[in-house]
C-alpha cells in the first residue's frame, strides 16, 4: 500500500515530466508557427490555451481551488513554493533576453508583433517550466 508521501512524490515527478513535455510542445508550436508564417487567430487560440494552462499550473492556484486534500498539500509544500518563485525568476530573465534577441534579429529580418510576442512569452514560460521541473526532480532524489 502506498502512503500519502509516496503518492505525492510520484505525482510530483509526473508533474515535472509533464512540464518538460509541455515546454517541448510550446517550443515546437512556436517554431512551426513562425517558420510557416501562420499567425491567424485560429492558430493562436490553442497556443493561448496552452500558455494559460501552463502558467496557471506554475502558480499553484489549482491546489488552492481543489480544496487541498492531503496529497495536494504535500505536493504544494514550502519547498515547492520556493521552486515556483525560482522558476518565475528564470522565466522573467528569459523573457528579457528573448525580447532583446528578437528585437535585434528583427532589425535584419522583420518580424511581426505576433511573432515577437509569441517568442517572448514562449521563452519565458519554457524557462519557468524547465526550471520548476528540474528543481522538483532534484528535490525528489
Amino acid at each position: 500500500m502506498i502512503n500519502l508521501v509516496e503518492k505525492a512524490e510520484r505525482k510530483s515527478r509526473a508533474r515535472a515530466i509533464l512540464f518538460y513535455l509541455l515546454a517541448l510542445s510550446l517550443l515546437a508550436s512556436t517554431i512551426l508557427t513562425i517558420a510557416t508564417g501562420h499567425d491567424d487567430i485560429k492558430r493562436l487560440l490553442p497556443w493561448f490555451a496552452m500558455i494559460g494552462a501552463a502558467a496557471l499550473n506554475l502558480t499553484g492556484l489549482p491546489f488552492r481551488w481543489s480544496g487541498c486534500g492531503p496529497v495536494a498539500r504535500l505536493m504544494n509544500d514550502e519547498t515547492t513554493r520556493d521552486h515556483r518563485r525560482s522558476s518565475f525568476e528564470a522565466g522573467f530573465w528569459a523573457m528579457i533576453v528573448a525580447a532583446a534577441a528578437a528585437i535585434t534579429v528583427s532589425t535584419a529580418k522583420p518580424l511581426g508583433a505576433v511573432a515577437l510576442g509569441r517568442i517572448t512569452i514562449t521563452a519565458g514560460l519554457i524557462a519557468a517550466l524547465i526550471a520548476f521541473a528540474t528543481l522538483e526532480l532534484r528535490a525528489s532524489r
Side-chain angles (χ1 to χ4, degrees), residues 9 12-17 20 79-80 82-83 86-87 129-141:
E9 285 178 3
S12 291
R13 281 191 297 274
R15 175 179 59 194
I17 292 167
Y20 280 130
T79 303
T80 300
D82 186 50
H83 292 166
S86 296
S87 70
L129 287 166
I130 290 173
F132 181 78
T134 302
L135 290 168
E136 285 287 290
L137 287 177
R138 271 192 211 148
S140 71
R141 289 184 198 178

Side-chain angles (χ1 to χ4, degrees), residues 18-19 26 48-51 60 69 81 84 93 99 102 110 117 141:
L18 180 67
F19 279 8
L26 278 169
F48 279 131
M50 197 170 9
I51 64 167
R81 288 190 297 272
R84 280 196 178 95
W93 287 111
R141 289 184 198 178

Side-chain angles (χ1 to χ4, degrees), residues 5 24 47 59 66 95 116 134:
V5 173
L24 185 64
W47 180 75
T59 65
S66 69
M95 282 186 176
L116 289 171
T134 302

Side-chain angles (χ1 to χ4, degrees), residues 84-130:
R84 280 196 178 95
R85 283 189 291 277
S86 296
S87 70
F88 289 144
E89 183 178 334
F92 170 79
W93 287 111
M95 282 186 176
I96 297 293
V97 170
I103 290 168
T104 303
V105 167
S106 70
T107 60
K109 182 187 187 285
L111 295 170
V114 172
L116 289 171
R118 193 167 180 152
I119 289 168
T120 304
I121 292 170
T122 300
L125 198 49
I126 286 173
L129 287 166
I130 290 173

Side-chain angles (χ1 to χ4, degrees), residues 7-72:
K7 191 173 187 178
E9 285 178 3
R10 187 175 291 168
K11 284 188 171 194
S12 291
R13 281 191 297 274
R15 175 179 59 194
I17 292 167
L18 180 67
F19 279 8
Y20 280 130
L21 294 173
L22 186 55
L24 185 64
S25 66
L26 278 169
L27 179 63
S29 169
T30 299
I31 289 171
L32 288 173
T33 302
I34 291 173
T36 59
H38 296 291
D39 58 1
D40 60 345
I41 193 68
K42 284 188 256 178
R43 293 187 187 256
L44 283 176
L45 288 177
W47 180 75
F48 279 131
M50 197 170 9
I51 64 167
L56 183 65
N57 276 300
L58 276 171
T59 65
L61 286 176
F63 287 108
R64 293 184 204 131
W65 293 338
S66 69
C68 279
V71 173

